[in-house]
């Protein structure tokens, strides 16, 4: 049995709107942080006035608005691997 990885695309528009494909689940959210699971790995979105607009478990499409300040990808053990922008 092969391990099939679903591709994921992250788009951030002017640090105000974020969309992502391949999202497995929205684990938690507040106005300052959104926690997602993407392909079995954790993704942390930090900012201010964050608001989840839509999430479809069937298609894996996710969108949110607010002031996005960082996106961190965590490994299987939850450690942060990369900060995308300041």
């Amino acid at each position: 049995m092969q391990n099939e990885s679903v591709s994921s695309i992250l788009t951030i528009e002017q640090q105000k709107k974020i969309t992502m494909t391949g999202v497995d689940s929205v684990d938690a959210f507040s106005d300052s942080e959104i926690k997602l699971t993407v392909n079995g790995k954790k993704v942390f979105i930090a900012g201010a006035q964050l608001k989840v607009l839509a999430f479809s478990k069937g298609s894996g499409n996710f969108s949110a608005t607010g002031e996005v300040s960082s996106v961190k990808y965590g490994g299987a053990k939850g450690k942060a691997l990369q900060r995308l922008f300041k």
Side-chain angles (χ1 to χ4, degrees):
M1 184 181 212
Q2 287 183 315
N3 183 9
E4 292 186 30
S5 177
V6 176
S7 66
S8 179
I9 298 171
L10 170 67
T11 305
I12 302 172
E13 299 173 29
Q14 299 177 352
Q15 288 185 272
K16 299 288 183 197
K17 182 176 182 184
I18 187 165
T19 57
M20 193 168 205
T21 62
V23 176
D24 299 326
S25 64
V26 177
D27 302 324
F29 61 91
S30 69
D31 64 344
S32 62
E33 184 175 54
I34 300 172
K35 297 177 184 178
L36 307 172
T37 300
V38 180
N39 293 325
K41 296 184 180 180
K42 300 297 180 185
V43 175
F44 303 93
I45 302 165
Q49 300 172 343
L50 297 175
K51 181 178 176 182
V52 175
L53 296 178
F55 170 63
S56 171
K57 186 158 179 78
S59 66
N61 293 333
F62 168 84
S63 64
T65 60
E67 297 175 27
V68 179
S69 60
S70 70
V71 178
K72 295 180 183 178
Y73 285 83
K77 296 181 181 176
K79 61 182 180 177
L81 296 178
Q82 179 177 354
R83 182 174 176 158
L84 295 179
F85 62 93
K86 295 179 184 177

